Amino acid sequence: MADGSVVARAPLRSAEVDAVVVGAGFGGLYMLYKLREQGFSVQGFEAGDDVGGTWYWNRYPGARCDIPSLFYSYKWSDELQRDWKWTEKYAAQPEIHAYARHVADRFDLRPMIAFETRVLSATFDETADRWSVVTDRGDEVSCRWLIMATGCLSTPRAPAIPGVNSFAVTTYHTGAWPHEGVDFTGQRVGVIGTGSSGIQSIPIIAEQAKRVTVFQRTANFSVPARNGPLTERDLALFWKGYDDYMALVKGPGMGFGGNPANAPPETPEARQARYEELWALGGAGFLAVWGNLLTSLEVNDEAATFVRAKIAEMVKDPAVAEILAPRDHPIGTKRICVDTGYYETFNRPNVELVNLRATPIEEITPAGVRTSIAAYPFDALVFATGFDAMTGALRAIDIRGVGGVELRDAWAAGPRAYLGLAIAGFPNMFVITGPGSPSVLSNMINSIEQHVEWIIRCLGEMRETGRSRIEADEAAQDAWVAHVAAVADKTLFPRAASWYMGANIPGKPRVFMPYIGAGYRRKCDEVAAAGYEGFVVA
Ligand code: NA7
């Protein structure tokens, strides 16, 4: 419960179900719905006391989706799609969470979920072709199919800084924000981290706090959201183009390989006009400016220069503007941020920026933060320091597959998964939007739906043909992992020390985790149509 108490319930002991679903975010909710619809018995587990996943935990001020709300909704129910009315172009966390709650209630999904329950381990029994799932509430559930809907950004990480736990007053992590909210009025607040969470929260914290000190290690590119209420006209346009949009969603699948049809025009004036147009429109669509933005350094650099010039226009103090201007990675190779008034916030008299490249943090002390040249006393400290992305939640569970091999060991040199859906040595287990699938570089809701629908088709076919076991073949997995890396290597993505690469976690292997090639959906469909090519079915 949000107040810290835990609802009492008897442990589910020796329960047997067809499927266990771990996580009740957007992936888990749809998976539960489909499993029940197809007549599978199912048990869901969720660590939080409510549904929503990412949108349950990330309640920091200013938390907002960076994909337009109309596109950030499930497509599997036309009635749901038409009934739910988003109020803003980019929905804020409370509204997205309300949407997840609405889905859970409307489709009566809650009875399938054991809340406030963390899965500790999952062990595969090779003689029975079943998983045994154990939780922190004493549950021991046996299932044929184990579906990990544990999310890509669900394991918040405090910064690896000496004395990180020694601050005597309160520390907050944007990814695990108190449900009752935080009142910073009259406080001196330190914020470490300038990714999306920092960039969204800093303007709001600055409006409230007496003083805000922002500690920036890497300057990030951010484009204005130009958020606002959704109008009848927006809705009419959306529905007018809905069939085309659905054709795109259900099409072969996007990629970052470059669309030659969208080449930059010859003249600098024409290119500048297009940058201005997209800047005025707002949003991450800026990255769609040219098909080769993420494959040509020269093209990328021009777009980056445009954004740096905008930062210099918005920030009055040229020295501060220079610190905020990203220069160490091509635009788009770290997740681009979408902000409301971020750069302008540095014009406020109560906001100061500390450049950690020049004066690194040496220690967090009971009083605040000490850099190489100064001590900053605080009443509150905010870690906007991100997540152990894409693999953190899976590695946190003691998952043991064939021969008792631990997933943590199998992934010691980086994650390996066939199609980002299944892992060799871990039969009957599926990962929704796992590493090696488009996941975080796509519209997550669309990718979730694609994976859930692929998995349910697979389980239905296993049942129809009386099979009890499906496992990714090691050679197919190796080939897929190599393909994922080869595709990434053709782009500029590997040039950034991003969380896509695991670079934000000290010691984490540097592997580009999302799949950015074209035709992913088609590939998955072809694999299924060919009788699960690349899988061993028994
Ligand atoms: P991100 O994007 O991982 O950002 C984390 C920020 O925290 C980033 O600026 C980091 O700097 C900074 N950071 C991390 N560790 C440290 C230490 N030790 N010292 C100083 N600064 C540090 O996480 P977010 O939560 O903002 O966003 C995650 C995703 O959620 C986002 O991409 C959207 O998809 C939604 P660095 O860049 O590593 O130098």
Side-chain angles (χ1 to χ4, degrees), residues 18-19 31 34-41 144-145 147 428 430 451-470 528 532 537:
D18 294 324
M31 193 74 246
K34 287 305 271 187
L35 284 161
R36 185 185 59 190
E37 181 200 63
Q38 296 301 314
F40 291 96
S41 59
R144 170 84 65 220
W145 315 110
I147 295 142
N428 295 2
F430 299 92
H451 269 189
V452 168
E453 286 159 16
W454 190 96
I455 293 166
I456 204 72
R457 171 183 176 181
C458 172
L459 299 193
E461 291 181 12
M462 292 296 119
R463 182 171 59 186
E464 270 166 33
T465 52
R467 321 281 185 92
S468 62
R469 176 168 164 154
I470 179 166
Y532 297 93
V537 181

Side-chain angles (χ1 to χ4, degrees), residues 153 159 192-197 217-218 334-335 356 384-387 499:
L153 295 162
I192 301 179
T194 52
S196 293
S197 305
R217 187 163 68 182
T218 307
K334 282 190 158 203
R335 174 91 174 191
L356 298 183
T385 45
F387 302 86
W499 58 255

